[in-house]
Amino acid sequence: MNDARSWHDECYEVGVCLSESDMPRFVFAGLVVLLTLVGCGAEPSSEFTEETLAGHPDGKADNANAISFGDFDYYVPPAKVLRAPTSRMITTASAFQRFFGEEPPSFFDFDREWMVFVTAGAQSESGVTIRVDGVQLTSTGKSLRVLTTTSQAGAACTTTQASYAPFKLVSFARPRVSPSAVRYYGAAGETTCAASACEADARSLLAAASEGINHMSESDYPFDPMLVPGGAAATTDEDIARLLGEPDGEELSTRDFAGWFEYRAEVNDPDDAPHVREVEGYRRIKQLYESRFSNLRVLRVGEIEVHVYLIGETDCGDLAVLKTVSIET
């Protein structure tokens, strides 16, 4: 009786009374529910405390251990995750599927490796790149650091209108103890582009041909060499003028290239040494353009103080330009 009273007392406390024969089934069902809630209950949307910071840490405040990583080139993300700048640590197959909306590659083992995904977001002009510079585990083991750099094209780089989104996906060995936080450090950089052999050759030829030569009008102005990378793709005088840095709305006119040199390359007084040197200079310029460049023309921009551009196209698709000024009151 004492045992029976004890059993009933306990059952009243929990609000459910079962016979002793029902008790094993009740306990088993409870365990199933508990395991379902723990094991299958929604995996947290983010497994870490995440923070995005500008610049790279100097490493003085907290020593960090570098983790070896490598590019994961076996997967191309869908466009929906590339629209905006994003950084994401991915540690499970289910986290991969939630973020990308697709199954991860079957051969990737999240029990052994993790992934980091970064993107600079959608771009309208080429020349933007992003890279992962480092993956680090702080000395306490509580925080992961992901160091990235997003670079813009430098002044010497040729860019084009393009719709694309630079991204990087890397993998690394899973830490033995899972950290509780991830910090993404993003630095800004610039891509420097060395002049191509074609570009360097054109610049040096223009400078050599025009050295010491002034264009004579109501005032004398020198010839300034210019090179417009990719400028041969421009199809109108307006487009070319913009590439040359001229504002919209200026008066534009063109001249025949050979006709522009017609009287400038003729010696009128062989005893006038400065005049002869000037004519020789014009002849050098004309010969250079006719022998090395194509689609030759002269573009005039403005009135009174007219900007004069001698234009030719290189084999690389650039515009080879000598600029001078003609004062015409």
Side-chain angles (χ1 to χ4, degrees):
M1 290 294 294
N2 291 338
D3 290 340
R5 283 194 298 275
S6 175
W7 161 253
H8 284 294
D9 289 343
E10 292 176 2
C11 83
Y12 287 136
E13 288 178 6
V14 299
V16 179
C17 289
L18 298 171
S19 67
E20 293 183 10
S21 62
D22 289 330
M23 190 62 183
R25 290 194 296 272
F26 176 78
V27 172
F28 176 77
L31 287 172
V32 169
V33 171
L34 178 62
L35 290 174
T36 300
L37 291 172
V38 173
C40 302
E43 192 176 334
S45 59
S46 176
E47 300 163 78
F48 308 98
T49 300
E50 296 181 294
E51 187 177 10
T52 301
L53 303 168
H56 286 178
D58 59 16
K60 295 178 181 178
D62 184 12
N63 293 328
N65 301 311
I67 298 177
S68 178
F69 65 92
D71 291 347
F72 189 79
D73 298 324
Y74 308 101
Y75 178 74
V76 178
K80 67 178 183 179
V81 301
L82 299 172
R83 296 190 182 106
T86 305
S87 300
R88 182 62 60 93
M89 181 75 64
I90 303 170
T91 63
T92 65
S94 56
F96 185 102
Q97 186 168 22
R98 283 199 308 273
F99 180 69
F100 292 113
E102 300 174 341
E103 294 280 349
S106 58
F107 58 84
F108 192 85
D109 186 357
F110 282 99
D111 289 334
R112 301 179 60 185
E113 293 183 286
W114 287 355
M115 290 181 177
V116 173
F117 167 78
V118 294
T119 177
Q123 306 294 322
S124 60
E125 189 174 60
S126 65
V128 178
T129 61
I130 189 167
R131 69 174 186 266
V132 175
D133 300 306
V135 179
Q136 301 174 347
L137 185 66
T138 56
S139 58
T140 62
K142 295 181 179 180
S143 179
L144 274 171
R145 293 173 173 174
V146 179
L147 280 56
T148 66
T149 298
T150 301
S151 297
Q152 305 287 333
C157 300
T158 300
T159 61
T160 59
Q161 296 297 313
S163 179
Y164 76 111
F167 73 91
K168 186 64 70 173
L169 188 63
V170 304
S171 61
F172 60 95
R174 175 178 179 171
R176 284 177 292 181
V177 177
S178 296
S180 59
V182 180
R183 292 184 175 89
Y184 304 101
Y185 293 87
E190 182 178 274
T191 302
T192 57
C193 299
S196 66
C198 179
E199 179 180 341
D201 185 46
R203 285 184 184 277
S204 62
L205 290 173
L206 289 169
S210 61
E211 184 178 6
I213 304 302
N214 288 324
H215 176 64
M216 293 173 49
S217 60
E218 295 179 29
S219 295
D220 295 346
Y221 283 86
F223 286 91
D224 295 323
M226 301 174 63
L227 200 95
V228 182
T235 57
T236 67
D237 292 340
E238 289 77 11
D239 290 338
I240 293 173
R242 290 190 195 99
L243 291 175
L244 295 170
E246 297 289 352
D248 291 341
E250 292 289 329
E251 180 78 18
L252 302 180
S253 62
T254 58
R255 299 287 187 273
D256 176 72
F257 189 84
W260 191 83
F261 281 91
E262 188 171 352
Y263 73 89
R264 293 179 174 89
E266 295 291 334
V267 175
N268 298 320
D269 185 355
D271 296 326
D272 184 347
H275 167 67
V276 172
R277 284 195 299 270
E278 177 189 313
V279 169
E280 290 175 349
Y282 278 108
R283 287 176 176 175
R284 285 198 310 270
I285 293 172
K286 184 173 182 288
Q287 182 180 20
L288 168 64
Y289 272 78
E290 291 178 341
S291 63
R292 297 298 297 267
F293 308 135
S294 61
N295 199 13
L296 310 180
R297 64 266 204 200
V298 178
L299 177 65
R300 292 162 48 90
V301 182
E303 300 175 282
I304 301 178
E305 185 176 308
V306 182
H307 293 178
V308 180
Y309 298 94
L310 309 183
I311 300 173
E313 297 177 6
T314 72
D315 292 338
C316 297
D318 305 330
L319 292 183
V321 181
L322 283 175
K323 175 186 177 182
T324 189
V325 176
S326 178
I327 302 299
E328 304 173 2
T329 59

